[in-house]
Amino acid sequence: MAQVKVTLVKSLAGRPGDQRATIVALGLHKTNSSVVKEVTPQIKGMLHKVEHLVKVEEI
């Protein structure tokens, strides 16, 4: 299964609650924090929702 590294590159200040919740559900907390996730349809949808806040790298 493919994996991606997700890094939070923009602050959550002033963002709607649903975007904040999505970032927390991905396991990100502070700016520049990173997590490695398996690519599933659910993760793809979460990344699409917050694509303007994160950087995604294929591993």
Side-chain angles (χ1 to χ4, degrees):
M1 192 57 108
Q3 289 186 330
V4 291
K5 179 180 178 182
V6 183
T7 305
L8 182 62
V9 294
K10 294 208 175 184
S11 171
L12 295 179
R15 303 293 176 185
D18 60 337
Q19 290 179 9
R20 289 174 183 255
T22 301
I23 291 293
V24 171
L26 284 169
L28 300 168
H29 299 288
K30 293 182 176 182
T31 305
N32 293 323
S33 62
S34 297
V35 292
V36 175
K37 294 286 185 182
E38 292 287 332
V39 177
T40 63
Q42 294 83 9
I43 296 297
K44 282 184 182 181
M46 294 169 84
L47 293 175
H48 179 71
K49 185 175 189 112
V50 294
E51 64 188 352
H52 57 288
L53 301 174
V54 297
K55 179 174 79 170
V56 180
E57 302 173 43
E58 298 273 338
I59 295 181

